[in-house]
Amino acid sequence: MKITLAHGSGGQSTKELIEKIFASSYKNPVLDMMEDSAVVPGAAEIAVTTDSFVVDPIFFKGGNIGRLAVCGTVNDLLMRGATPKYITSAFIIEEGADEKELRLIAASMAQAAREAGVLVVAGDTKVINGNGGIYINTAGVGFIEKDNWQSRNCQKEDAIIVSGSMGDHHAAILSHRMNIKNDISSDVAPLCQMVAALKEAGVEVHAMRDVTRGGLGTVLNELAEASGTGFVIEEAAIPVNPQVKAFVKLLGLDIMHMGNEGKLVAVVKAEDAERALAAIKGSKYGENAAVIGQVFDGAGVTLLTPLGGKKKVGILVGEGLPRIC
Ligand code: MG
């Protein structure tokens, strides 16, 4: 079945679309009430985020827009030390979209939500003229129990850890668009288990960010600027998959400005670095984690090259790769 403007009418067709695809995929007692808003138990402090997903292509190696829409929002909550609890799912669907694709996307969202331990408690569907495109907005709510990690908390001597190989999502999307055949897969993943492992290990985390659009270089610069410190990074210590490394070289890309969707940077107290690394490595999606540098007095991000040189790393300037997420 192809989606038509009638599916966005708010009438019978809309009802059927929602019941058949979305409500059945996300099924839970809160959503099943089908009220105008969800009423959920709360916490003293909550983290809130929202993100819109316009990735092109909708299906790519390693995932699709649905998995991305859950992981992106869940990860942003986790980065503040929050436990993700609830998300919303708003679809903007262009006329001509395929029902089968919508089903796959909704199923992926449901699966990622289960993995992340969040409930989809509210949603919306709009259908517009167009060419079968699908766009998703997800908002998320997480509970803050104790931690409230902030970029400005990075301190001199802190260790800088990345949770795995850089550039995978970016390289997978670009490979698809350029029709380059390789085995590069997007790393899109919810990092709940990893963050929980760090908390369980009692690691003193000062700041945490996920490495998404803009890449590692942009995230590190934002952390350094917010905390008034300087970050020094060993280029050779940054994990990169061999396939991605070859791809980056072939196309003359910069790994420091390539996006991921399942990787984080943790800035932790120096004494806790080993424990933090072990906790990340022992958790799902963290096996290739590495300590890549240290925080110093100063400003900006400096890359130490394998030949002993020093390079300043800037934030991503310009458009980068459009519609990567
Ligand atoms: Mg983020």
Side-chain angles (χ1 to χ4, degrees):
M1 186 188 81
K2 293 290 176 199
I3 301 301
T4 65
L5 288 175
H7 288 109
S9 66
Q12 185 60 28
S13 304
T14 307
K15 194 167 178 286
E16 280 170 21
L17 177 72
I18 291 169
E19 281 171 1
K20 255 168 51 185
I21 294 182
F22 299 112
S24 57
S25 297
Y26 310 146
K27 217 169 173 25
N28 65 63
V30 182
L31 187 69
D32 292 351
M33 289 173 75
M34 288 290 167
E35 294 286 353
D36 280 349
S37 62
V39 175
V40 293
E45 277 196 297
I46 60 171
V48 180
T49 188
T50 183
D51 212 336
S52 297
F53 296 85
V54 299
V55 66
D56 176 27
I58 290 169
F59 292 89
F60 45 84
K61 203 175 280 178
N64 62 53
I65 191 171
R67 179 169 171 82
L68 191 60
V70 172
C71 296
T73 289
V74 159
N75 288 344
D76 275 343
L77 295 171
L78 288 165
M79 298 304 107
R80 290 300 305 274
T83 302
K85 292 284 186 184
Y86 308 109
I87 63 168
T88 66
S89 150
F91 275 69
I92 297 174
I93 305 165
E94 287 181 359
E95 195 182 12
D98 198 77
E99 186 196 342
K100 254 196 309 208
E101 292 192 344
L102 275 177
R103 275 185 197 280
L104 286 172
I105 291 165
S108 283
M109 286 187 78
Q111 196 272 331
R114 270 194 303 275
E115 183 181 349
V118 294
L119 289 184
V120 181
V121 294
D124 180 47
T125 313
K126 294 278 165 24
V127 181
I128 59 170
N129 297 112
N131 267 322
I134 298 171
Y135 313 97
I136 305 174
N137 175 279
T138 46
V141 171
F143 292 179
I144 305 267
E145 286 112 32
K146 174 163 81 64
D147 304 292
N148 179 352
W149 303 330
Q150 300 178 43
S151 301
R152 66 177 184 197
N153 289 348
C154 303
Q155 289 169 26
K156 195 172 109 179
E157 291 178 10
D158 280 354
I160 304 160
I161 300 173
V162 294
S163 66
S165 57
M166 291 290 103
D168 302 27
H169 179 71
H170 190 122
I173 296 291
L174 193 53
S175 299
H176 187 113
R177 281 199 213 151
M178 295 179 75
N179 206 15
I180 297 174
K181 297 274 172 274
N182 56 36
D183 294 328
I184 299 171
S185 238
S186 167
D187 55 344
V188 56
L191 301 175
C192 310
Q193 209 202 22
M194 189 181 290
V195 172
L198 281 168
K199 288 182 180 176
E200 266 162 41
V203 172
E204 188 175 318
V205 176
H206 288 160
M208 188 181 284
R209 296 284 304 274
D210 55 346
V211 183
T212 53
R213 230 170 8 156
L216 183 62
T218 300
V219 170
L220 294 177
N221 267 286
E222 286 171 357
L223 286 166
E225 193 186 331
S227 56
T229 60
F231 280 35
V232 178
I233 306 296
E234 293 268 1
E235 189 172 19
I238 300 170
V240 185
N241 281 334
Q243 281 239 22
V244 174
K245 200 174 263 182
F247 182 81
V248 165
K249 205 171 166 194
L250 180 75
L251 294 180
L253 302 169
D254 180 1
I255 196 73
M256 294 303 284
H257 293 129
M258 291 173 65
N260 288 78
E261 286 294 343
K263 299 289 156 52
L264 60 78
V265 179
V267 180
V268 307
K269 193 177 173 191
E271 296 90 288
D272 291 357
E274 284 307 311
R275 220 151 19 103
L277 186 64
I280 295 175
K281 274 179 169 288
S283 65
K284 202 172 178 186
Y285 310 117
E287 64 270 23
N288 297 317
V291 176
I292 59 164
Q294 213 183 347
V295 180
F296 288 88
D297 280 332
V301 178
T302 307
L303 200 61
L304 303 178
T305 69
L307 296 173
K310 277 185 187 181
K311 266 196 304 206
K312 272 281 172 199
V313 180
I315 65 166
L316 175 67
V317 178
E319 66 182 6
L321 183 63
R323 296 186 60 183
I324 188 176
C325 56

